């Protein structure tokens, strides 16, 4: 079967890899000059480091399993803990479920909340179960059970790191279903003991050399064509026809099946003629733009940061950056690679939903804002040896309230078109394992024989 995969990010490459392994004739078409999507590496101070996603969940198996299938080595982060920069200090991150506190003593000793905020959390033990008839936002659920201070100072920075979103707009069912389930049974605090504090498996995993190696390895195994913009997709008697290339020299590519693995907005445009109901739903999925700024400092100029993997910043603090990752302290391979050059690497990130203006700032401004916040937070005043600014316009889809119902409608509309499938971060999760699962499901769906049921 001739299959065209539109998009060569992680979802498209994974889908194409699965289809190729099943013996199909597969071509992946990517509009940009590079494959890999948000898994990307760049040289900073002469060292190749990740400038997109730098880790994947280890407790969900798809990412680690695919890496090992491709012959890649998996590494886990150090035990250095993350902190929160709030109320004038860097404070320890209390044990939590996506920011929802699970240990009152840790919460109290951290100083993240005011005394009144801690008392509001304690009162959660006496609340009846929450059983919403409809989906609710994470922030609204947490506000009601724990008080807005928990949302503002704990949940917001954690959700901001994963989704670049706003807690009071993100779907609880889609983003933190475990929290909704626990609240439905009664006090979340009373059930905190059910969430183990120690595990056989670390939470996260990475790849020595960078997560970008994952998509590099996939791209090397399939037929990827770069700089190929797909402008139109239509049904034909035999399958599908894609219009590819510049408007001045368009050409037709025929396929028996098509997997669309692009972000929600371009996917919506491509499906307008073949699955208009799905296109309408996809067009309603908003996205957030983010920026990652990576620094290389002389190791001799940086001291005292080894005991932490970085820090998160609640939006209520009014700071420019939303987080900083001390990559050299978090990942052994980053430390070793930098040491060969006498350097240490760390990064900052900007951007939440509704803050697209951050992408319009010059690189120099983003570097200066980062350095100012790093100086205030950890006293780092050295000048960097090198910097790299990576902009991810529309990089993170927003799982608004009702997202799961919307995805179900999209899937139903797409399933009505034999040979068509969609996948990516816009549907079932933004993390690496979820995207891989989405891609594999799409590969199976696109090549499934049409049903003969009437």
């Amino acid at each position: 079967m001739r299959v065209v995969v539109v998009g060569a990010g992680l979802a498209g490459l994974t889908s194409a890899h699965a289809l190729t392994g099943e013996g199909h004739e597969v071509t992946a078409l990517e509009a940009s000059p590079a494959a890999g999507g948000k898994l990307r590496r760049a040289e900073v101070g002469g060292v190749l480091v990740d400038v997109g996603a730098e880790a994947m969940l280890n407790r969900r198996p798809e990412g680690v399993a695919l890496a090992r299938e491709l012959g890649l080595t998996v590494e886990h982060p150090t035990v250095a803990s993350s902190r929160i920069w709030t109320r004038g200090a860097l404070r320890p991150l209390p044990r939590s479920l996506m920011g929802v506190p699970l240990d009152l003593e840790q919460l109290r000793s951290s100083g993240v909340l005011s005394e009144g905020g801690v008392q509001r959390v304690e009162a959660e033990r006496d609340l009846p179960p929450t059983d919403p008839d409809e989906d609710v936002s994470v922030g609204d659920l947490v506000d009601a059970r724990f008080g807005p201070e928990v949302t503002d100072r704990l949940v917001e920075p954690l959700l901001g790191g994963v989704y670049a979103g706003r807690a009071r707009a993100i779907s609880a069912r889609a983003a933190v279903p475990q929290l909704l389930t626990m609240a439905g049974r009664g006090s979340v605090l009373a059930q905190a003991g059910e969430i183990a504090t120690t595990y056989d498996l670390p939470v996260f995993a990475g790849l020595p050399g960078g997560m970008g190696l994952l998509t590099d390895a996939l791209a090397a195994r399939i037929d990827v064509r770069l700089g190929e913009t797909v402008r139109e997709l239509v049904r034909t008697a035999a399958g599908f026809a894609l219009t590819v290339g510049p408007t001045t020299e368009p050409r037709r590519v025929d396929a028996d099946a098509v997997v669309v693995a692009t972000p929600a907005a371009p996917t919506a445009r491509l499906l307008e003629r073949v699955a208009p109901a799905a296109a309408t739903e996809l067009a309603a999925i908003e996205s957030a733009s983010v920026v990652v700024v990576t620094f290389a400092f002389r190791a001799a100029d940086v001291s005292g940061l080894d005991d932490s993997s970085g820090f998160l910043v609640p939006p209520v603090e009014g700071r420019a950056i939303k987080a900083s990752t001390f990559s050299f302290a978090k990942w052994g391979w980053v430390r070793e690679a930098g040491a060969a050059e006498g350097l240490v690497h760390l990064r900052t990130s900007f951007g939440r939903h509704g803050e697209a203006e951050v992408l319009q700032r010059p690189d120099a401004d983003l570097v200066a804002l980062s350095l100012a916040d790093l100086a205030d937070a950890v006293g780092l005043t050295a000048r960097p040896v090198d910097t790299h600014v990576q902009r991810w316009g529309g990089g993170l889809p927003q799982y608004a309230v009702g997202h799961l119902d919307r995805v179900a409608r999209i899937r139903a509309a797409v399933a009505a078109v034999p040979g068509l499938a969609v996948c990516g971060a816009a549907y079932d999760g933004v993390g690496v394992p979820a995207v891989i699962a989405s891609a594999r499901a799409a590969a199976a769906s696109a090549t499934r024989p049409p049903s003969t049921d009437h």
Side-chain angles (χ1 to χ4, degrees), residues 44-45 295-299 301 342-343 382-387:
V44 187
F295 295 88
F297 290 94
R298 291 181 184 85
D301 293 339
L343 302 174
R383 304 307 301 174
V385 173
D386 195 13
T387 61

Side-chain angles (χ1 to χ4, degrees), residues 157 161 310-313 320-325 347-350 352 374:
F311 60 88
L312 304 170
V313 188
I321 66 173
K322 67 176 184 179
S324 179
T325 301
R347 51 194 240 169
T348 60
S349 58
F350 295 81
R352 296 179 178 89
L374 286 168

Side-chain angles (χ1 to χ4, degrees), residues 357-383:
E357 69 275 4
V358 71
L359 288 184
Q360 299 168 8
R361 291 177 178 261
D363 287 2
D365 286 3
L366 296 173
V367 168
L369 288 167
S370 296
L371 291 172
D373 278 352
L374 286 168
D376 286 349
V378 297
L380 179 59
T381 57
R383 304 307 301 174

